[in-house]
Amino acid sequence: MAIVQLMDSVGYGRGGLTRVMYQRLEVLKEYTDEEIWVVITGLQFDACSVFSSLQRDGFIPEGVKVHALFDDDYVGYSIRGRDPEFSFDPGDGALVAEEKEGLVRRYYDISGKFLGLTKYRKNGTRISSDIHSHESPQLCLKTVEYDALSRPRRAVYRDSEWNEKFETVLTTRGELLYSAWKTVSNYSYRCTLFNNDTGKAQLFSGFHEMRAWMLREFLRGLPGEVTVISDEPATVPMITLMPDSNGINGIGMIHNTHFVGDGSGDSKNQLRGWAKYYSEPRGALQKIACLTNAQLGDLRSLYPAWTDRNSRAITNMVDIRDVKARHDFFYEVLFVGRLAPVKGVGTLILGVEKALETLPNLKFNIVGGGPEDSSLRAMVEQRGLGDSVIFRGWDEDVYSWYDRSDCLLANSEFEGVPLTMLESFSSGIPIITRPTLYGPVEIVDDGVNGFITDGTPEGIADKICSLYSDVSEFSRLSQAAIDASHRFSPKVWRNKWLSLIALDVTDDNEASAQ
């Protein structure tokens, strides 16, 4: 038997979801004798080298094997000897203008027409090249993307408005792997996978279908029965769309709310686009796991095919730390996570700003990064909060930040069961959060191990000030946080996962299909 963990991509500085997958790999490696694999399914060049680096640094257990759909030489599915003209050669006579210390080089011909540009890494290897039209130099005809060794791996062809319309992807040997058209939402469709052995090609309706087929071909080469675990909406379609999946048992783990809104009122009738892939056992998908009992109950009500026989609630785990309840203040509050709109960090900053009127020495440490990094920094600078709100970037040693903080702030629009909250409890740190479904509202007991706010800057400031109003009350909250962490011990989590993997639901799924 083999157990396969699907991951859309791998890398450093990832959030709680990635860390959960790493934790599961450690458990599987320690408590089973099965062959353990990670299959990287996204279009990530250098995925295998990044995986090896993560394994070398201890994030992924030794002995776990890796396969990447678009980074390995996919045996038999490339056409040798073709030159798709991926290279960008502006010619010896081209004029060069450099910027960003030579990391971007723009090329012009002798008449001043723009030919294109190339972006470089600091080590001198290429990242990408934009190739422009000779006749209309304002038009970018295609973009070539390179791997870490400057090998061309992908060409994207654009229309006159710079929209991606068509792509071709190469193997590490520079041979054709697949080509596809692109929708306005950047989804690859009408995908053609090339076969070198037969000289033919295979057409798929979409990227999900092509990856499902590629994944199945890989899984068929593994010994015995195969269990495949998906934790991401990006990877679960490969399980549900997998053709001829005999001997392949899929588990879909839902980490986030499947509702578009906050799960209240009319938003319970608005589902995320990916929810359809979890609607019933199909393809190789046989079992479902959710993070909380409330989420599992909602999912079963929505999709009756999931019952107590083929679905479980498995909350995340946290290492139980040997800490004592806190009896004094650091006057530092903390956010750990991705700086994205859904996290509501801007509102947290406004809440801290109001709290500073009462607590002028308060510090707000923001540990993380993401798409809102620049805009949030600009906001802090504009409001003159630079001495109080400090951006710390990503830090793998998150516990060092819990150990110097008085509480964790959270304000997400939606969540699963954030590892940051469990880590906070295990460090004796109370949590201030809005009543977010599902995890926060089920984890944080208002006034016991933290506070529930209304999500407004005024509400956040009020709870921060309440936290600092009484040190003996703070100590009680700290002890309650430590006590709460024991509900999420590694042993409980481990046993639930091993039980789910071993669960035989074949009879139930056959009955539901009849």
Side-chain angles (χ1 to χ4, degrees), residues 49-71:
S49 63
V50 173
F51 178 92
S52 298
S53 180
L54 288 165
Q55 198 167 48
R56 184 174 59 251
D57 291 341
F59 293 99
I60 297 173
E62 291 184 10
V64 174
K65 302 177 182 180
V66 65
H67 174 73
L69 296 185
F70 302 105
D71 191 38

Side-chain angles (χ1 to χ4, degrees), residues 240 275-283 285-286 288 303 305-306 512:
T240 60
K276 62 186 178 183
Y277 294 111
Y278 299 87
S279 61
E280 61 182 350
R282 59 177 171 143
L285 183 65
Q286 296 188 0
I288 284 286
Y303 300 128
W306 300 115
S512 66

Side-chain angles (χ1 to χ4, degrees), residues 176-315:
L176 288 176
L177 180 55
Y178 79 86
S179 290
W181 276 259
K182 307 286 287 185
T183 66
V184 291
S185 59
N186 212 29
Y187 180 69
S188 300
Y189 71 102
R190 204 181 299 160
C191 302
T192 303
L193 190 64
F194 300 105
N195 186 315
N196 180 65
D197 290 342
T198 64
K200 297 180 180 180
Q202 188 166 350
L203 184 65
F204 298 88
S205 59
F207 193 55
H208 290 327
E209 288 78 7
M210 182 179 71
R211 291 193 299 172
W213 188 90
M214 295 171 72
L215 176 62
R216 186 200 64 178
E217 292 300 290
F218 169 73
L219 297 180
R220 281 179 165 177
L222 298 181
E225 294 278 323
V226 178
T227 295
V228 185
I229 304 172
S230 165
D231 292 79
E232 303 167 276
T235 59
V236 77
M238 282 172 279
I239 299 179
T240 60
L241 299 174
M242 187 176 293
D244 187 17
S245 56
N246 290 336
I248 302 171
N249 308 308
I251 300 175
M253 178 76 195
I254 303 178
H255 288 262
N256 224 320
T257 175
H258 44 282
F259 301 121
V260 171
D262 61 6
S264 62
D266 291 340
S267 70
K268 280 203 171 185
N269 299 319
Q270 303 175 43
L271 298 175
R272 299 186 180 280
W274 49 257
K276 62 186 178 183
Y277 294 111
Y278 299 87
S279 61
E280 61 182 350
R282 59 177 171 143
L285 183 65
Q286 296 188 0
K287 309 168 194 174
I288 284 286
C290 294
L291 281 176
T292 74
N293 287 313
Q295 183 183 25
L296 181 62
D298 283 345
L299 189 74
R300 287 176 177 176
S301 297
L302 184 65
Y303 300 128
W306 300 115
T307 68
D308 58 359
R309 282 284 293 126
N310 58 8
S311 57
R312 296 283 188 274
I314 305 179
T315 303

